[in-house]
Amino acid sequence: MDSRSAEDHLRVIRELMERATIYRAISAPAALCCGFLALIVASAALIPGPLQPILRHYFVTVWILVFLLSAVTNSLFLLRSTKDRKVRFPSRRMRTALVAITPAFLVAGALTILLTRNQGSEIFVAVCWIGLYGMALLSTVTFAPRSIALLGWAFVLTSCLCLGLLTQDYLFSFTASRHVTLQGLGYLAMAGTFGFYHIIYGLAVMFYGRHGNG
Amino acid sequence: MAATGMVDFNKLDRTIHEKGRLAIMTLLATRPRWAFPELKTELQMSDGNLVTHLRALHQAGYVAVTKEIVDRPQTSYSMTERGRTAFKAYIETLEEIVKLGRR
C-alpha cells in the first residue's frame, strides 16, 4: 500500500464517521412548510383584514400555536424519514438533539412568561425567541450539518442586531414615523426570520442535496 | 516479514483492510450499538454482503452480536475491545504510511 491509498482509506474513514454522526434536526420540507406558515400568519396580521385585530391581540398565543403546528409537521417528516430508513422513531440521534435543544426552549418559555406581563412587549418577545431558537440550533452544532449551523448563526446574529437597535427612543421614532405598532413590528421580525430564513434554508438544502435526515 | 522503511505492512490487518469490512468497523466505532437495518441503510449494502462481512468480523473476534426481541426480533452489532484495539492499530499504520510518503 502506498501513501496515496493510505490517505484515501483515512479519508473514507473520516467521511463515514462524520456521516454516521450527523443529524439534521429540521427537515427541508418541514422548514419550507413552517416558513410559509409563518409568512401567512404574519401577512394576515400586517395586512388589514378580518383576522388582523385578533392576531394582533393574541401575539404570543398565535405564535405558540404556529410553533406547535411546526413541531408536529417537522416530527411527521422526520418520522417518515426514519420509516424509509427502517430505523426506530425517535432515533438515537434525534433523542440527542432533543436533549441539546431543550435548555434553550425552557429559557424561551420562562422569558415569554416574564415579558408578556407587560403591554407592548411583543417585539422583545419576538427577539428573545429568535435568539434562543438560534442558540437551540447551535447547541446541535457538533453533530449537525453546516446548513443548520448557518441557520442558527443567522437567527442569533439577527437577534443581537435587533437587541442593539431596540432602544426606547429608536422604537418610538420608528413606530411613529412608519405607523407601525409594536405588535406589527413583532410580526415583521417573526416573518423575516422564522418565515424567510426557514424558506431559504429549506430551498438551499433541497437544492444542494441531502446530508442524511435521521 | 514484509517491511518498507519504518512501516511493517504485516501490521495492516487484512480482516479490516477489505473495503466493506472497513466501513462496518468505522460505523461500529462511532457508537456503542448498531442495528442490522441501520448498518444496511448507512452502507447501502445488500443483506447477503453485509451478513458475510459481519460474520468474518465476528469470527475474528472484532464484533459482538446481540439478538433481542423488542416488538420484533432484532440483531444488533457492537465493536469488541479486541476489535477496537485492532481498528486503532490499523488507523495508526495508515497514518505511518502517510507520514512516510510525505518524507
Side-chain angles (χ1 to χ4, degrees):
Chain A
M1 174 182 255
D2 61 8
S3 162
R4 200 188 191 102
S5 53
E7 265 184 71
D8 281 345
H9 271 67
L10 285 170
R11 185 181 45 79
V12 168
I13 292 169
R14 190 181 65 242
E15 284 175 1
L16 204 53
M17 277 188 157
E18 281 174 358
R19 208 179 71 199
T21 47
I22 273 177
Y23 177 73
R24 185 180 293 285
I26 310 168
S27 76
L32 282 177
C33 291
C34 303
F36 281 117
L37 180 64
L39 281 187
I40 290 164
V41 170
S43 305
L46 291 167
I47 299 164
L51 285 173
Q52 194 185 43
I54 304 163
L55 290 172
R56 291 232 171 160
H57 187 71
Y58 296 105
F59 180 87
V60 171
T61 314
V62 166
W63 285 109
I64 287 174
L65 288 174
V66 170
F67 165 72
L68 292 175
L69 202 60
S70 304
V72 170
T73 309
N74 192 38
S75 302
L76 289 174
F77 277 109
L78 293 176
L79 173 67
R80 200 182 68 174
S81 158
T82 51
K83 271 189 177 168
D84 289 346
R85 296 184 300 119
K86 292 176 184 163
V87 293
R88 277 188 221 164
F89 181 86
S91 67
R92 183 190 296 268
R93 282 180 271 177
M94 186 182 184
R95 288 198 298 270
T96 311
L98 282 173
V99 169
I101 65 171
T102 299
F105 278 98
L106 285 177
V107 175
L111 276 172
T112 305
I113 293 166
L114 178 78
L115 290 170
T116 45
R117 285 177 187 159
N118 301 316
Q119 282 289 318
S121 60
E122 287 80 2
I123 181 64
F124 296 104
V125 174
V127 172
C128 283
W129 283 347
I130 293 164
L132 287 161
Y133 180 71
M135 285 168 72
L137 293 180
L138 288 176
S139 65
T140 67
V141 82
T142 50
F143 51 88
R146 202 164 146 256
S147 50
I148 289 275
L150 288 173
L151 183 67
W153 275 115
F155 272 90
V156 167
L157 292 176
T158 306
S159 170
C160 290
L161 188 71
C162 290
L163 285 171
L165 290 173
L166 288 179
T167 59
Q168 291 277 331
D169 292 343
Y170 179 81
L171 266 183
F172 182 75
S173 61
F174 184 89
T175 50
S177 64
R178 287 172 177 79
H179 306 290
V180 182
T181 62
L182 288 172
Q183 291 97 331
L185 210 55
Y187 274 103
L188 268 178
M190 295 297 279
T193 52
F194 288 94
F196 279 117
Y197 286 5
H198 275 137
I199 290 171
I200 293 166
Y201 162 84
L203 291 175
V205 171
M206 282 181 158
F207 187 75
Y208 289 110
R210 294 178 303 143
H211 265 273
N213 235 7
Chain B
M1 182 156 153
T4 306
M6 299 286 286
V7 181
D8 177 5
F9 281 90
N10 280 338
K11 280 203 297 188
L12 261 183
D13 193 321
R14 297 289 148 192
T15 311
I16 300 176
H17 192 57
E18 198 283 329
K19 200 178 153 195
R21 291 196 285 273
L22 175 63
I24 293 170
M25 289 295 278
T26 304
L27 288 189
L28 293 179
T30 60
R31 66 178 205 223
R33 196 185 275 197
W34 281 79
F36 185 84
E38 291 178 296
L39 282 174
K40 194 185 159 202
T41 312
E42 202 73 51
L43 297 169
Q44 303 282 306
M45 272 188 201
S46 67
D47 282 15
N49 214 358
L50 187 55
V51 165
T52 308
H53 286 316
L54 283 166
R55 194 179 295 141
L57 290 167
H58 179 61
Q59 279 165 1
Y62 294 167
V63 167
V65 186
T66 311
K67 289 180 193 250
E68 58 187 346
I69 299 172
V70 186
D71 300 331
R72 58 202 163 115
Q74 193 173 329
T75 309
S76 52
Y77 299 86
S78 55
M79 192 182 264
T80 61
E81 210 40 56
R82 189 176 169 186
R84 198 165 294 278
T85 310
F87 186 59
K88 203 172 158 226
Y90 176 80
I91 290 174
E92 281 167 2
T93 311
L94 287 184
E95 283 170 345
E96 277 180 50
I97 296 168
V98 172
K99 271 187 211 160
L100 200 71
R102 283 177 184 162
R103 273 181 206 164

